[in-house]
Structures are given as structure tokens and as C-alpha cells.
Amino acid sequence: MPDMSPSSTAEEPAPALQTGWTGRVVGYVAVLVLVNVMVDTVLAAPTFVLPQLRDAFDTTQFAWLDSSAMLAGAMWAPLLGKTADIYGKRKVLVITLVVAGLGGIVCLVAPHIGVFVLGRALQGAAVAALFLTVAIIRDVCAPTFAMIVTGVVTSGSAVFGIASPFILEAATEVFGWRFVFVVSATFAIAAALFVRIVIPNSRIRTPGRVDVTGALLLGSGLAGVLAYISLGQEFGWLGIVPLAVLVVGVVALLVWYFVLSRIPEPVIDIRGIPLVLGLGLLVVVMGTGAYRSLLALFSLLIDVSPDDGLGYGIAGPAALGLMFGIPSIGIMLGGILAGAIATRVGPAWPLAAGVTLGTIASIVMFLIGAGSLPIAVICSFMLSLTAGSLVTSGFNLASVLAPPERQGTVSSMVMVMVAVGSVTMSFIGSAILGATDVVVGGETVNSSLGVHAYIAVAACGFILAAIPMTFLVRRMRGNVVTGVPVSHI
């Protein structure tokens, strides 16, 4: 398994696992959905104001403005997952929410992009909050019922997303882009209080130690490699600074892989990942990366009118609300349906359905959607179904492959894949747009070639995800797992 530490556990007396909807379960779900609403305000809400952020900090590096929190989340996740298994999931969740709230305050008062990115790095702790909510569900619910609840918790926050784009569009016009971070910080502190009051202590804990050095080295390596993609487009792919950052990142990853991943209790035991989980993680990293990159692109397309004659642009009345509000229904439906279907046929099939929908939507977006608001809204809705299905199914797959005492560690791996895929694809997309800029009327704008190449790369991400997806479905055919670890599959 991803964590090969001793399997002995310390169990506290606890009520029997929940097998159906009760008032207690509804209370837990309500609080955990609130946590994920906060996660959405950290990860998704800033995409609504990317053009304003870009102008406020005078930068073309929109990927750093949007994805720095997700990048930091990739660094936070392994460390917090292991810590949660050892010290308790509720305690670690409260800490991550407080840190994310402080990050929102830093972003709110940031005088320049350096401080803003620091704030986003602190907000990255919220990424851990998502997988911790899933691990808590596995603590309090029976395995089969947990699949359904996982779908509700991971996608239920989309209810807030239906109205939030319309509200944020109006509020940011009055108060500016900082309003987004006021909302984020407020939700983080409120969620921390409710978690502390309502959610029970973890009933299962794993004795062991936290490999802080390994987590920092792994995170630094990922950050170095991804930063090269961003710096290369501005300073040259063979420039001294980008190459130095790349070398540092690669060396950090190599040291971690050959040295620190071999210690008795590594933060992630990459050699111990079973084949079926590895296939699932490959699907998640490519599928969610493709979806998140298109989400960032939508924000830029909304800022351009098709009447400008650039070959793209979907600006129009209530475009922001239509692109980000209505599709939130799709995220909720995708997650809930994926959870319900998984109880009957396992999580692999809804994962495959998500990849298929994403592929179709990105191809349609490439052909006709970049310049048509109605078509773009339809594509966005299909992609939101993809997002709900991929995230819920990824967590369900990981949770049924992990023993109870390692839910935090294994769930964190799914979040690492979500973060790495999202950041990588966003940085690649940013590099494509930066390399294909054109000057129109004395102003530098994104070219039609760059926008369509961006969409094509995202479509390729979905197509590549279909390859491991095919092997995963075949591998799990006839194996409807419902909570028993199946690392032998």
C-alpha cells in the first residue's frame, strides 16, 4: 500500500459504523460539505477574477495566480495525510482550515504578486481539507454506504457554486477582486469552528512518525519541475534561471525516490502502490488536469467578445454566471451518480464515464465552442459532470483499496494527483498562450491559434487518460469492491 508503516492501530471506543441516513449523518455531511465549499472558494473562485488579478499585479503569468494554491496543495497533501492517520483526522482538518483562512487574509492585503503567491501557498492547505473529508467519511460510515456519502460530500458544495458566480460577478464589480478572498477567509474560519464542534474524533489511528524531510523534498521537487514550465516561457527554455530551477527540482525528486522513499515509513511508498491503484491515479492526474486547465481558459474567454474578431471569445450577458453557475449542477450530479453507481459496479465504470464525457466536451469545444457562448455552456456542463465523476470515483477507488488505518495517507495520493495534473496542465496552457500572443491595435492578446492549441492539449489529456482507464476497467471487471482492500488485483 502507499504507506508501508506497521499496520497496528490504536482504536478508541466508537459507535457502530453508519449504514444509512440518520440525523447524525446528515449533520456530519452538512459540515463536511461546508468544508468543501471553502475549498471551492480557494480553488475555483479566483478563476472568476483572473483578468482583474492579472491587471492588478501586472503579470502575464496567470497560471501562478490561479494554480499556486493547487501547487502548494501537492506539497501539503502527503505530509497532512500521514499526519492525519497518526494524530487524528479532525485535528489536522481544523489546522488546515485555519491555515487556509490565514492565507486568504494574506491574499486580501497583498501589495504585489510575491506576497499574493505566498498567500495562495498558505491557502493550498485547503487542498488537504478535501481528502480529509473523504477519510472522515470512511471513519464513520460502512464501506458501501460511504461510497454514496463520498459522492454527496465531494460534489455537494456545487450547490453553492450554482449561485456564487452570479453573486461574485456583481460583488466584484462593486468591491473588486479582493471580495473573493474575504469570502474564502470567512468560510475557512466558520468551517474550522463547525468541524471542531460537530465532527467526532478519529476512531482509528496509526502509530508511526511523519517523514517531514521526505514530504518537503518531494514537494520542492514537484514545485521546481512545474516552475520551470512557467519560467521557461518568460526567460527562455534554456535560460540560466529556468534551468537552475529545473535541475534543483529534478535532483530533489531523485534524492527522494532513491533515498527517502526507501526508509521504513516514507511519506509515500511509491513502490508499494498496487497496479490497480496506480492505473486509477494515472486517470485522475490526466483527467482532472485537463478539466482544471479548461476551467482557467473559460475565465479568459469570458473576457473577450466574439465581435472583436480574434477567432474566439464568449463574452455576453451573464456569461460568468452561465459558464460557472449552471455547470455546478453537473458537478453535483456527476459526483452523486458516481457514488451511487459505484455501490453496484465498482468505481472504475463511473471513472470511465467521466473520461468519455470529458473527451467529447473538449473536442466539441475545440471545433465550435471557443466562439459560441451557448456551445461553451454545454461543454462546460459536460466537463462539470466529468469533474464530479473523476474526483468522487478517484477517492472511492483509493478508499476501497486502503485499510482503515491508512485512509488519510492513501486519500492524500488522489489529491496529489489532482493537484499535479491541474498545475501541470495550467502551466502548459499558460506557456502555449504566452508563446502565441499577437499584437492587435497596440495591445497584446491571445491568438486564436494559442486558444485552440490550448483546448487541443486538454483534449489530448483526456484521450491519454483513456489508455490506463481501459486497463483499469479490465482489471476490475467482476470485482465490485465495497471496502475490502484488494491490493492483489
Side-chain angles (χ1 to χ4, degrees):
M1 292 310 300
D3 175 14
M4 298 300 290
S5 58
S7 60
S8 58
T9 63
E11 300 194 17
E12 301 176 358
L17 294 177
Q18 304 292 322
T19 58
W21 292 103
T22 64
R24 177 176 294 178
V25 172
V26 171
Y28 294 161
V29 169
V31 171
L32 296 178
V33 167
L34 175 62
V35 171
N36 288 331
V37 167
M38 184 280 303
V39 176
D40 286 347
T41 64
V42 169
L43 300 181
T47 62
F48 303 160
V49 291
L50 272 184
Q52 295 94 312
L53 289 172
R54 181 183 57 193
D55 295 340
F57 295 113
D58 191 24
T59 179
T60 60
Q61 299 295 312
F62 79 88
W64 280 106
L65 300 173
D66 175 46
S67 299
S68 48
M70 189 68 87
L71 174 58
M75 300 172 64
W76 282 99
L79 179 62
L80 293 175
K82 178 72 173 181
T83 303
D85 281 338
I86 295 174
Y87 297 105
K89 301 175 185 67
R90 185 185 71 176
K91 180 185 296 185
V92 175
L93 178 55
V94 170
I95 293 172
T96 62
L97 291 170
V98 171
V99 172
L102 292 174
I105 295 172
V106 172
C107 291
L108 177 64
V109 300
H112 53 75
I113 190 171
V115 176
F116 181 84
V117 171
L118 173 62
R120 293 289 283 161
L122 292 174
Q123 283 193 303
V127 172
L130 177 57
F131 74 77
L132 286 175
T133 61
V134 175
I136 287 172
I137 291 166
R138 301 296 295 194
D139 252 6
V140 300
C141 296
T144 302
F145 181 52
M147 287 188 180
I148 299 174
V149 180
T150 295
V152 175
V153 168
T154 56
S155 60
S157 58
V159 174
F160 173 80
I162 296 172
S164 61
F166 297 95
I167 296 172
L168 289 175
E169 184 175 22
T172 53
E173 288 181 1
V174 178
F175 302 106
W177 59 266
R178 287 183 172 83
F179 181 80
V180 169
F181 297 96
V182 172
V183 172
S184 179
T186 302
F187 270 110
I189 301 304
L193 291 173
F194 280 109
V195 168
R196 181 65 182 82
I197 295 170
V198 177
I199 301 299
N201 280 318
S202 301
R203 64 186 182 88
I204 298 178
R205 300 186 187 182
T206 306
R209 70 178 188 86
V210 180
D211 179 22
V212 177
T213 302
L216 293 177
L217 201 61
L218 174 60
S220 299
L222 292 173
V225 173
L226 295 172
Y228 169 74
I229 300 174
S230 177
L231 295 174
Q233 63 173 301
E234 186 168 346
F235 299 103
W237 301 107
L238 298 179
I240 295 177
V241 173
L243 284 178
V245 171
L246 176 63
V247 169
V248 170
V250 170
V251 169
L253 289 175
L254 290 175
V255 171
W256 173 79
Y257 180 77
F258 288 107
V259 179
L260 295 180
S261 67
R262 297 175 184 270
I263 65 176
E265 296 184 46
V267 65
I268 292 179
D269 181 10
I270 195 170
R271 296 173 183 79
I273 299 176
L275 176 59
V276 66
L277 178 59
L279 291 171
L281 293 176
L282 285 176
V283 175
V284 170
V285 73
M286 289 183 283
T288 56
Y291 163 72
R292 285 286 304 173
S293 66
L294 288 174
L295 186 67
L297 180 65
F298 289 156
S299 180
L300 300 177
L301 295 180
I302 289 170
D303 202 41
V304 178
S305 170
D307 297 332
D308 292 342
L310 296 175
Y312 65 90
I314 56 175
L320 179 63
L322 290 171
M323 288 298 296
F324 292 100
I326 293 177
S328 294
I329 302 174
I331 294 177
M332 181 172 60
L333 289 176
I336 294 174
L337 288 174
I341 293 171
T343 64
R344 296 180 177 274
V345 297
W349 284 105
L351 195 64
V355 171
T356 302
L357 274 175
T359 303
I360 296 172
S362 57
I363 291 175
V364 172
M365 191 70 192
F366 174 82
L367 294 175
I368 55 177
S372 169
L373 179 59
I375 299 298
V377 170
I378 294 173
C379 291
S380 182
F381 181 78
M382 293 175 65
L383 287 167
S384 66
L385 288 170
T386 294
S389 178
L390 288 180
V391 173
T392 297
S393 300
F395 279 123
N396 276 334
L397 180 66
S399 64
V400 299
L401 294 173
E405 66 272 13
R406 296 188 179 91
Q407 287 295 321
T409 301
V410 178
S411 295
S412 74
M413 294 182 65
V414 178
M415 206 62 239
V416 170
M417 292 299 101
V418 171
V420 170
S422 300
V423 174
T424 301
M425 293 295 287
S426 291
F427 279 4
I428 291 174
S430 178
I432 291 173
L433 293 180
T436 55
D437 279 345
V438 294
V439 178
V440 177
E443 182 181 358
T444 301
V445 298
N446 298 321
S447 67
S448 178
L449 172 64
V451 168
H452 285 87
Y454 187 122
I455 300 172
V457 169
C460 288
F462 282 119
I463 293 171
L464 290 175
I467 298 174
M469 187 68 256
T470 302
F471 289 103
L472 176 62
V473 170
R474 290 179 179 177
R475 194 80 179 181
M476 295 191 70
R477 184 173 294 163
N479 292 283
V480 182
V481 288
T482 58
V484 179
V486 288
S487 57
H488 61 281
I489 291 181

